Amino acid sequence: MTPHATSALLIAISLALSTISVAQTPTPDPTAPSAASSPHQRDTTATKATESPTATSPSPAAASTPHQTQVVDTDKADAKTQAKHEQMLKDCIAKEQAKNSSQSMEQAKKTCWDQMKARSTDVNK
């Protein structure tokens, strides 16, 4: 075989092989998301989720979730409880000092703290 004939034969074979490879259908990618789900799953997940409506009030609290609202309300209740305890302590100190005018502020405060602790221990029993 002459070199020209060999070259022509190789060119013809390579053209034939390239034509065959182009004509083949591609194999599906096993890592594609569509390969991991059924047509029903793809149809179901393709629907758009509705967004929550925008708040009608300009107040930031209007956009709060029920859980956020509950936490804030609990914090407010804790602040009220704290304020009540402080007022009870002040009232107790005033009573202690009225009972015993020679008692210092620190002594009256300590006595009231002890009384409040005793009451909270009794309530928790």
Side-chain angles (χ1 to χ4, degrees), residues 42-109:
R42 288 191 294 277
D43 291 343
T44 302
T45 57
T47 59
K48 298 288 181 190
T50 58
E51 293 185 10
S52 60
T54 58
T56 56
S57 171
S59 169
S64 299
T65 65
H67 172 73
Q68 291 169 328
T69 305
Q70 180 185 12
V71 169
V72 171
D73 290 344
T74 302
D75 289 346
K76 288 178 184 177
D78 289 346
K80 287 179 183 178
T81 302
Q82 181 67 26
K84 270 185 173 179
H85 285 203
E86 288 175 10
Q87 187 58 47
M88 286 172 55
L89 183 63
K90 287 178 184 178
D91 293 345
C92 179
I93 291 170
K95 287 178 186 176
E96 286 296 318
Q97 286 184 325
K99 280 191 225 173
N100 186 355
S101 59
S102 64
Q103 191 177 28
S104 71
M105 175 73 144
E106 288 302 314
Q107 289 172 330
K109 191 173 183 178

Side-chain angles (χ1 to χ4, degrees), residues 1-17:
M1 226 179 186
T2 65
H4 290 311
T6 307
S7 295
L9 184 60
L10 288 174
I11 290 173
I13 291 172
S14 65
L15 282 174
L17 290 175

